[in-house]
Amino acid sequence: MFFQPKNNIKKKLTTPSKATKSKLALSIATVFTALYAQSAAAVCDITTNSSEEYISSITLNAGTLTSGATLADNDELVLTPGFIGREYAENWSIWIDLNNDNDLDDNGERVFTTSGNSRSAVTASLDLASAANVSNTAMRVLMHAGTVNDACGNAGYGDYRDFTVSIGAGTDPIPNPGTGYGPDVQWPHDTVHVKVFRFEFPDADLTYSQSRIQSEMNEVTDYFDKESYGRFNASYEIYNQVIQVNQNKSDFDNGSSWDWVDYYEAKLVDLGEDLHNLTDDTIYLILAPQISDWSPKAGPIPGAIRLYEDGDERTKAGGIVHEMGHAMGLHHADAIDGGNTVLGTGDLANEKVGYGNIDSMMGNNAWDFGGFNLYYKNFFKTWNITADVPEITRSGTYRIYALDQGSINGDIGIRLKSGNNGPTYWVEYRTNDGADTNGVMINIAEYVPDYDTREGYYDTSYLLDMTPDSIRDPEWNGYDLNDAALTIGNSYTDELNNAFTITPVATGGTLGTAGAWIEVEVDLH
């Protein structure tokens, strides 16, 4: 359901200081040797100059690539560069020792190479169609500024990673919706299709016109196109006939909401629909006259939305998107009321603020088409959001561009880990929805992963209040989140593991465009 309380108020790297840059250049080899020490099979020596450019991340089918992975034909790697100061155009090459003879120079062992160069992430589709199954063999990923002919020797400016992998059938690390719960549950499709069915009763006609629901669904499709930066297609179809219920609405008014669910599910099965197919891209919207005082409701198993004609003539498109989020597997975008601290004690039963992300579609801004926060954009696998939101592994100054303008001008956020196994802070810059454009919003994810274990749901995000306990309202403690932004000149230090301190320092670009930006200093401890 979507909620709106009364009176709702609502990276691009830049050049670090000379001293910082020197420090980073000296430590880069040590840092990445530690990060990628995974028993990688190095079959020949290679040298690179990574003082100003480095490999930021390598993901396999949306999960981080590590040694021990099994690869298959057409598996996709996302290769993301990082820079200290100026951004350079980079080339990429990948070799795999396909016959396990401890070299990378046999015919066909260069399984990927870019034909041009790019300053942003590159997707590599692995050509392994003719490869035999092999276990524990060497793989090298090389980012190089110039042209290279082989996997060994001096590659000049760039960076490399070695892995030990196997070639086989491969597996997709992202489960289908409805299998498990938590941060590994993602919507795996690049589409969502909504089937709309309208119902009316002998004692209650449906006056919600087909043209109205069609207009609202057009708003829905436009919303997803903008939020996904053109990477996702939402579509819909409306069943031609209004389904006549053979019971009075008053019978359902006095019963359980599950009586209504059982009725419409049986009716749709009679029409040939498979509501419990959890592997397709289809969700169902059930529209009926208002029953009892029930609010709109949705969930992922099955993926269905219950919407009622409640007499409110405002467009329900934002509410439909909100409920679609639930039907695909998103929780509400909540917040934390930690009293006079940002994180409180970790007792979510008492400190969670339901709908607390006041700017977010899945929080308290459905009616006004608030945007998804970055962590919830990450729920949609094909949006490939982590390529635009790098995980920070070194101190420096980072530029973050507006996430809410429908296009991308550079990194739209950063991720900061709280220790090796701690939660992740997602830092974003909003310029719509009444957000404070002189600050960043910070959501924490994977915070208490077993707090809600309902099947088919993604992990919950919690907006953090960087000015805790500044607004007290007996009606709703969520009003305190109206000044949740971490603004320029103020700092936040990770309260869990003292892993970092972040400070916004400057803004620029043109507000109202994707070129608006904010810069933050990150000091890793």
Side-chain angles (χ1 to χ4, degrees), residues 4-333:
Q4 188 170 30
K6 188 170 64 178
N7 301 325
N8 180 38
I9 326 168
K10 306 222 223 199
K11 141 175 163 201
K12 179 173 176 179
L13 248 77
T14 58
T15 307
S17 68
K18 193 173 290 186
T20 302
K21 185 172 179 178
S22 175
K23 180 180 177 182
L24 295 178
L26 289 171
S27 64
I28 188 167
T30 303
V31 170
F32 281 103
T33 297
L35 285 174
Y36 285 88
Q38 301 161 340
S39 302
V43 298
C44 62
D45 292 335
I46 185 171
T47 58
T48 59
N49 184 341
S50 56
S51 61
E52 295 190 13
E53 58 220 299
Y54 61 95
I55 295 175
S56 177
S57 66
I58 303 172
T59 62
L60 166 65
N61 298 336
T64 300
L65 176 64
T66 60
S67 284
T70 297
L71 306 178
D73 186 42
N74 293 322
D75 270 351
E76 288 191 345
L77 298 177
V78 177
L79 314 171
T80 305
F83 304 97
I84 302 173
R86 176 184 169 187
E87 296 183 1
Y88 296 90
E90 304 291 350
N91 294 286
W92 297 83
S93 297
I94 300 174
W95 291 265
I96 299 176
D97 184 5
L98 296 178
N99 58 3
N100 216 350
D101 66 347
N102 295 317
D103 64 47
L104 296 169
D105 56 12
D106 295 319
N107 187 41
E109 289 190 336
R110 190 171 183 168
V111 297
F112 174 81
T113 186
T114 50
S115 57
N117 49 34
S118 174
R119 292 176 174 83
S120 56
V122 169
T123 298
S125 181
L126 299 182
D127 181 10
L128 301 175
S130 59
N133 289 354
V134 63
S135 298
N136 300 322
T137 196
M139 173 180 179
R140 173 163 289 167
V141 179
L142 174 64
M143 183 185 79
H144 47 100
T147 301
V148 298
N149 296 315
D150 56 56
C152 310
N154 187 347
Y157 287 99
D159 198 8
Y160 74 98
R161 299 285 178 269
D162 285 340
F163 302 90
T164 299
V165 299
S166 298
I167 309 297
T171 56
D172 186 345
I174 306 301
N176 288 319
T179 58
Y181 64 91
D184 289 333
V185 173
Q186 287 182 293
W187 185 258
H189 314 287
D190 60 3
T191 56
V192 62
H193 186 64
V194 183
K195 292 187 174 182
V196 181
F197 291 87
R198 297 166 294 155
F199 291 77
E200 64 182 10
F201 303 88
D203 59 343
D205 294 335
L206 182 71
T207 61
Y208 208 109
S209 69
Q210 181 166 340
S211 61
R212 177 181 175 182
I213 188 63
Q214 185 172 355
S215 174
E216 292 173 348
M217 290 306 300
N218 287 338
E219 291 183 74
V220 168
T221 61
D222 290 345
Y223 175 88
F224 275 103
D225 181 64
K226 179 181 178 182
E227 284 295 297
S228 68
Y229 316 108
R231 301 168 180 174
F232 189 78
N233 181 54
S235 60
Y236 69 94
E237 60 182 298
I238 304 171
Y239 188 65
N240 285 331
Q241 298 177 357
V242 178
I243 298 170
Q244 303 298 313
V245 180
N246 58 7
Q247 295 174 246
N248 284 333
K249 184 181 80 72
S250 57
D251 295 337
F252 292 97
D253 286 335
N254 299 319
S256 163
S257 61
W258 293 110
D259 296 336
W260 173 234
V261 171
D262 291 342
Y263 181 89
Y264 74 68
E265 285 193 4
K267 181 61 68 173
L268 294 190
V269 169
D270 289 344
L271 292 173
E273 298 297 330
D274 185 4
L275 277 77
H276 290 270
N277 182 348
L278 302 180
T279 62
D280 64 18
D281 69 345
T282 302
I283 59 178
Y284 295 86
L285 194 160
I286 311 303
L287 178 59
Q290 181 67 56
I291 303 176
S292 186
D293 59 353
W294 301 339
S295 299
K297 199 79 173 175
I301 305 177
I305 302 164
R306 287 167 267 163
L307 188 65
Y308 304 102
E309 184 175 18
D310 57 7
D312 191 334
E313 295 301 318
R314 292 179 296 171
T315 176
K316 285 184 167 53
I320 291 171
V321 172
H322 179 102
E323 300 303 337
M324 286 174 66
H326 290 320
M328 288 185 277
L330 285 174
H331 285 300
H332 286 131

